[in-house]
Amino acid sequence: MVSRFSATKMFNLSSKPTISMQMMWVGLIITVLFILMAILSPPLENLDLLQDPQEFLSNPIHQSPSFEHWFGTNRQGYDVFSRTLFGVQVAWQVVILATALSLIIGVPLGMVSGYLGGRIDKVLIFFMDTVYTLPGLLLSITLAFVVGKGILNAAIALSIAYIPQYYRVVRNHTVSVKNELFIEAAKAMGANTWRVLTRYLFLNVIQSVPVLFTLNAADAVLVLGGLGFLGLGLPPETAEWGNDLRLALDALPTGIWWTAFFPGCALTLMVIGLSLLGEGLNEFVNPKLRN
């Protein structure tokens, strides 16, 4: 295969670990812990018991943390630990769907636009730049009003804001690579446009996508929490961190801290883990960032 792609070149593992690399490992550990929490916790279908008030009529509301309820209970009598744990699954479902949708759409558009150029390139640049200039949270809020509530709808609302990022990164890489000698050699050997894009260009322009994927995932967790806090992301009874923070808002002035503290900590830790992982991957992909 004619290609200049090299895993050794992309990920130079022989260099001494820097502070950024050490932070990446911290981020990786945190991210893996959240993945394990999502995998090992009970399935979301069992959440019905947490959403039926009749099951909790005898359960005191705003019960402080104890051996019976590690994270206490909220004003509906729901166990905060259980809702925080289920919130991990909800977050991963929305984040993976949102980033996957934006990647699946943005990467091919970026490759086609950068390789073909011309009118298609100009139209796509204009459209993507227009979307890119809009604030991500504001765009997600607007789309949430349009598509409605639910895991898939929330993922769609989030993904629209990330598509231009994948498009711009991949298009710029494609433009810089498409005139390289190995591309010219592939075309001289009779490779058509589809073959050039999928076999020779793809691995060379995809290098920054893992970085963008993790950073977008961190941003998606924050935006999802923001939508939930505003009551726009998922149905109010869903165990989602933003929803729980909104429900806990009235209780904070009375000293009931645990209903907001634990969901807020989970959201913050997941964002930190994904952000550190993305920054570390960025150092791998961009050698100029290494000290």
Side-chain angles (χ1 to χ4, degrees):
M1 185 177 86
V2 181
S3 176
R4 68 174 187 181
F5 175 78
S6 171
T8 303
K9 182 177 180 180
M10 179 178 174
F11 299 113
N12 186 5
L13 300 178
S14 62
S15 59
K16 294 182 179 180
T18 63
I19 295 178
S20 296
M21 292 301 303
Q22 295 170 357
M23 293 173 65
M24 186 200 73
W25 284 109
V26 173
L28 179 61
I29 292 172
I30 295 174
T31 302
V32 169
L33 286 177
F34 274 95
I35 293 174
L36 292 176
M37 289 170 63
I39 294 174
L40 299 178
S41 58
L44 286 172
E45 287 75 11
N46 293 347
L47 191 58
D48 293 338
L49 292 178
L50 300 178
Q51 297 176 354
D52 186 359
Q54 298 298 322
E55 297 288 339
F56 291 87
L57 289 177
S58 60
N59 195 16
I61 64 173
H62 288 155
Q63 185 175 347
S64 60
S66 62
F67 286 108
E68 184 180 2
H69 300 285
W70 293 356
F71 291 177
T73 62
N74 63 12
R75 69 180 182 180
Q76 288 80 21
Y78 300 154
D79 182 70
V80 176
F81 175 77
S82 298
R83 289 182 65 86
T84 303
L85 193 62
F86 279 109
V88 179
Q89 292 189 41
V90 173
W92 275 121
Q93 285 193 16
V94 175
V95 165
I96 291 175
L97 279 173
T99 49
L101 285 172
S102 54
L103 186 151
I104 291 172
I105 297 174
V107 170
L109 287 179
M111 291 178 60
V112 170
S113 178
Y115 184 73
L116 296 181
R119 182 173 298 178
I120 293 178
D121 187 39
K122 292 180 180 179
V123 171
L124 286 173
I125 288 176
F126 175 79
F127 179 76
M128 293 296 177
D129 285 351
T130 301
V131 177
Y132 187 75
T133 57
L134 300 174
L137 179 58
L138 180 60
L139 179 60
S140 298
I141 290 173
T142 304
L143 292 171
F145 274 113
V146 176
V147 300
K149 297 180 179 181
I151 289 180
L152 179 59
N153 290 339
I156 293 173
L158 292 173
S159 65
I160 300 299
Y162 302 137
I163 290 174
Q165 299 181 32
Y166 289 98
Y167 167 82
R168 288 160 62 98
V169 169
V170 172
R171 178 197 172 275
N172 291 340
H173 277 288
T174 302
V175 170
S176 65
V177 170
K178 70 177 183 179
N179 293 321
E180 294 284 347
L181 291 178
F182 72 98
I183 297 293
E184 297 297 331
K187 291 191 291 186
M189 290 189 297
N192 57 23
T193 300
W194 172 256
R195 188 174 181 83
V196 170
L197 289 174
T198 57
R199 185 171 181 179
Y200 303 110
L201 268 176
F202 179 75
L203 289 178
N204 288 281
V205 303
I206 205 71
Q207 299 178 17
S208 297
V209 168
V211 178
L212 199 55
F213 188 91
T214 52
L215 294 177
N216 280 345
D219 184 70
V221 175
L222 276 177
V223 175
L224 176 64
L227 291 177
F229 188 78
L230 295 173
L232 299 174
L234 302 178
E237 70 277 5
T238 305
E240 189 271 320
W241 297 328
N243 282 343
D244 288 345
L245 290 173
R246 177 172 50 84
L247 293 174
L249 192 60
D250 294 336
L252 284 176
T254 61
I256 300 172
W257 54 270
W258 55 87
T259 55
F261 177 77
F262 294 109
C265 283
L267 188 152
T268 303
L269 283 175
M270 187 169 179
V271 171
I272 290 174
L274 289 168
S275 298
L276 292 178
L277 180 59
E279 291 298 334
L281 288 174
N282 194 30
E283 185 175 301
F284 267 130
V285 174
N286 300 293
K288 293 181 180 180
L289 298 178
R290 301 171 191 164
N291 296 326

